[in-house]
DNA sequence: TTGCACACGTTATAGCATAACGCAATTGAT
DNA sequence: ATCAATTGCGTTATGCTATAACGTGTGCAA
């Protein structure tokens, strides 16, 4: 997916996510953009929808939040499943991928003749700093 | 986790999930139990909390739903990560696990000194019947 | 010009989850 | 037996997450 020129709202939402320390909920993004004229959740959700489509933002299903892609310009997303480690204490997110994991999962779905559309791998726990 | 005797509400919720064809949302469970005296979401959520703790029910993070464990009595959950394939057309869920996937993910977290608490693997797509 | 696609704004509503209070039953120690 | 702690339960209220439905304006191509 090639990323077209972002619109004004898409740029605002993306900038907020990029500058954030960790993942943000849609409503948190909304609050951060009230000064820029945002008034309603849909303004955020519509921008997020496009940013997700372009692959520059990821949705963390297990915490209903969104995060800027940590590998911009990388082509990893086109040939692999993205995985996340999420610290439940400080909110830090690590994005990674593992071809062997991808391969095993895709072997399994192939055996089941299952047609995958979107795969979620999220590990919640404590990062090194917080576990100490 | 050994499963103690379930309470009345826990039994009702679990029975609904066991008899269901696929995953159910908490509010769908609530509706199915109104005839049995359920009036409020908390009655469902409190039962689910225990059932999840006992490991007899799983939560599907990507679709905000709950499903009865497909491997009752199995000890797989104690030494591996559970994965799900969810058909977005018919709602059918396949629960499986793959030691190699577990191993690779745990290798990764060990390398990062990340302390995992709960891992989610969910593949959304189309089952064989629905993809045809 | 006309039709279409798209971004945007707004209001309302739907869907998911928990806080906070109080009561009753159970358990386990004194 | 009594008291305290724990647990389950019921209820009301609230908060968080997400989308439906309607209308506006703009740019572009047929
Ligand atoms: Zn990414
Ligand atoms: Zn941390
Ligand atoms: Zn299971
Ligand atoms: Zn299906």
């Amino acid at each position: 997916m090639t990323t077209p020129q972002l619109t004004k709202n898409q740029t605002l939402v993306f900038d907020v996510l990029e500058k954030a320390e960790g993942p943000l909920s849609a409503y948190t993004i909304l609050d951060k953009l009230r000064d820029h004229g945002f008034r309603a959740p849909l303004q955020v959700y519509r921008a997020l929808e496009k940013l997700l489509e372009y692959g520059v933002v990821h949705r963390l299903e297990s915490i209903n939040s969104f995060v800027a892609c940590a590998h911009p310009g990388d082509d990893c997303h086109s040939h692999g499943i993205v995985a996340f480690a999420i610290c439940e204490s400080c909110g830090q997110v690590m994005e990674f991928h593992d071809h062997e994991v991808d391969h095993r999962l895709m072997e399994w779905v192939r055996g089941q003749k299952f047609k995958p559309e979107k795969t979620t791998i999220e590990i919640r726990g404590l990062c090194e700093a917080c576990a100490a």
Side-chain angles (χ1 to χ4, degrees), chain A:
Chain A
M1 170 72 60
T2 167
T3 306
Q5 184 64 30
L6 298 183
T7 67
K8 178 167 137 290
N9 284 5
Q10 288 162 18
T11 303
L12 287 168
V13 169
F14 182 69
D15 286 351
V16 165
L17 282 175
E18 257 211 325
K19 284 166 190 142
E21 295 281 331
L24 300 178
S25 76
Y27 279 74
T28 301
I29 296 170
L30 173 59
D31 286 339
K32 287 180 182 291
L33 288 176
R34 290 204 186 274
D35 294 343
H36 291 77
F38 273 47
R39 314 298 314 261
L42 259 195
Q43 295 175 278
V44 176
Y45 281 109
R46 288 206 274 232
L48 286 172
E49 184 179 24
K50 288 300 182 182
L51 295 172
L52 290 168
E53 182 183 326
Y54 302 152
V56 296
V57 161
H58 299 295
R59 175 193 174 85
L60 301 177
E61 310 276 3
S62 65
I63 57 173
N64 296 317
S65 294
F66 304 85
V67 68
C69 176
H71 308 136
D74 204 338
D75 66 340
C76 290
H77 298 66
S78 55
H79 61 274
I81 299 166
V82 185
F84 302 90
I86 306 165
C87 176
E88 295 186 297
S89 173
C90 69
Q92 173 192 127
V93 172
M94 280 174 282
E95 177 180 340
F96 67 102
H97 57 88
D98 182 304
H99 288 289
E100 185 63 23
V101 170
D102 301 356
H103 181 249
R104 294 286 297 188
L105 290 177
M106 290 310 105
E107 278 294 305
W108 185 90
V109 302
R110 207 158 57 83
Q112 303 290 323
K113 294 192 170 52
F114 189 92
K115 182 159 172 276
E117 295 289 349
K118 176 83 172 67
T119 298
T120 296
I121 301 180
E122 295 175 17
I123 307 172
R124 285 163 337 277
L126 295 176
C127 73
E128 179 176 7
C130 292

